[in-house]
Amino acid sequence: IIRRFTRPVFLIQRGSFQLPADDLPNSHKIATLLEHARSGLERVIASTGRIDLRNHRLDWVGTGWMIAPRIVVTNRHVAEEFGRSLGHGFAFKRNLEGSAVAAYLDWRHEHRQPEESRFRVEAIEWIEPETSVDVALLLISAAGEDGEAPPPVVSLMTHDEIACSSVGAWISVIGYPAFDSRNDAADQQRIFDGIYNVKHMAPGQVTAFVTDELLSHDATTLGGNSGSVIVDLAS
C-alpha cells in the first residue's frame, strides 16, 4: 500500500488497462509512461492468469504467467497450497474427503467481464526448495476448455538488460490482488475502490537490487498478487 496518486492501481478489462473509475486526481507522468508501453503491456496482460482451485478450501490462490510453452511460473508458496513433493516428483494434494485438488489457469477474471479462458494444470513440474527462491513451475493443458491455444510466452529480460537497469527503473506488476487483512482496510478501499480478486496492473519503480535473485519495488500489491509478473516498462 503506497499512495493513490503516485502509485495507482489500474483495472484491466478486455485485455487492456484504464484509469481507476473515481474522481481522484491522477499522475500525468505515470499515465504517459504506461501509454508509451501499452502495446507491450497488453501482450503480457494476455499471458497472466489467476490460479483457480477445485476440491479446496480456497476458490483461488494466486497469479501465474507463461514463461515457456505450456509452462506457467508462480510462487512456491502458491503451488504449495495444492501441491506437494513426493521426493522423486510432485503431486496434487487431497482434501479432507480424499478428493484430489485440481488447479486451473484462467487468463481472464476481469472486472464485470464474463469471459473465461481456462486451462487445467496437468502437472506440477517443479517446486523450488524452501532454502531457495520462491518459485514453482506448472504444466498446463495444450488447449483450453473451449479449444483455444495457450497465450504467448512472456519474454524474459536478458542479462545485459538487467545489468543496464538501475534503481528508479519503472515497472508494472500485473496480477490479482485480493483483500488483505494485513493492510489497512481504509487504504485498500481508497486505492482499489473495493474491487478485488480480478486482474489489475500496478505501476511503480525498482527501489533496490538486493541480490542476483532479489529486487525490491514500490508498486501497490496485496495478497493474491503472489506469482505476479513484473514488467520492465523500458523493455
Side-chain angles (χ1 to χ4, degrees):
I1 295 292
I2 311 293
R3 298 179 179 88
R4 164 65 178 79
F5 180 75
T6 56
R7 293 296 180 266
V9 177
F10 292 73
L11 271 175
I12 291 174
Q13 291 179 294
R14 297 183 176 89
S16 191
F17 54 90
Q18 59 187 22
L19 288 169
D22 55 38
D23 57 2
L24 297 175
N26 294 292
S27 166
H28 292 297
K29 177 178 181 178
I30 291 176
T32 299
L33 284 167
L34 295 176
E35 194 58 44
H36 286 162
R38 180 177 289 274
S39 61
L41 287 168
E42 288 176 347
R43 288 194 295 272
V44 179
I45 286 169
S47 299
T48 305
R50 201 180 85 173
I51 300 175
D52 295 340
L53 301 179
R54 290 180 182 168
N55 299 326
H56 195 277
R57 60 185 176 83
L58 301 173
D59 292 332
W60 68 283
V61 72
T63 303
W65 48 280
M66 296 293 297
I67 196 171
R70 294 184 60 194
I71 299 294
V72 168
V73 62
T74 188
N75 281 140
R76 176 207 310 116
H77 71 267
V78 170
E80 285 179 337
E81 283 289 340
F82 57 88
R84 60 187 179 89
S85 173
L86 294 176
H88 58 279
F90 304 91
F92 291 94
K93 290 181 176 178
R94 294 187 175 272
N95 61 22
L96 294 177
E97 288 73 39
S99 299
V101 178
Y104 299 81
L105 262 291
D106 190 329
W107 307 104
R108 301 288 193 268
H109 281 303
E110 298 175 348
H111 181 54
R112 292 182 175 174
Q113 303 298 312
E115 293 83 4
E116 296 181 338
S117 179
R118 289 168 57 87
F119 287 70
R120 183 166 185 140
V121 176
E122 293 190 344
I124 300 164
E125 294 289 284
W126 185 255
I127 300 176
E128 193 72 5
E130 290 283 345
T131 55
S132 183
V133 291
D134 190 0
V135 169
L137 300 173
L138 313 174
L139 175 70
I140 62 170
S141 55
E145 291 180 347
D146 294 326
E148 69 272 36
V153 171
V154 176
S155 299
L156 299 181
M157 292 178 73
T158 66
H159 288 292
D160 288 343
E161 286 172 331
I162 294 172
C164 290
S165 189
S166 61
V167 170
W170 283 92
I171 54 96
S172 246
V173 176
I174 300 169
Y176 294 83
F179 181 82
D180 193 333
S181 60
R182 296 168 295 183
N183 289 285
D184 183 82
D187 279 342
Q188 292 181 76
Q189 177 64 37
R190 175 174 52 86
I191 294 175
F192 289 87
D193 293 316
I195 301 170
Y196 308 105
N197 307 331
V198 294
K199 194 182 286 192
H200 286 78
M201 185 182 75
Q205 289 176 283
V206 174
T207 57
F209 289 93
V210 182
T211 67
D212 287 343
E213 294 85 19
L214 180 65
L215 64 78
S216 298
H217 66 78
D218 63 6
T220 298
T221 59
L222 298 172
N225 274 116
S226 292
S228 291
V229 58
I230 300 176
V231 186
D232 175 63
L233 295 189
S235 64

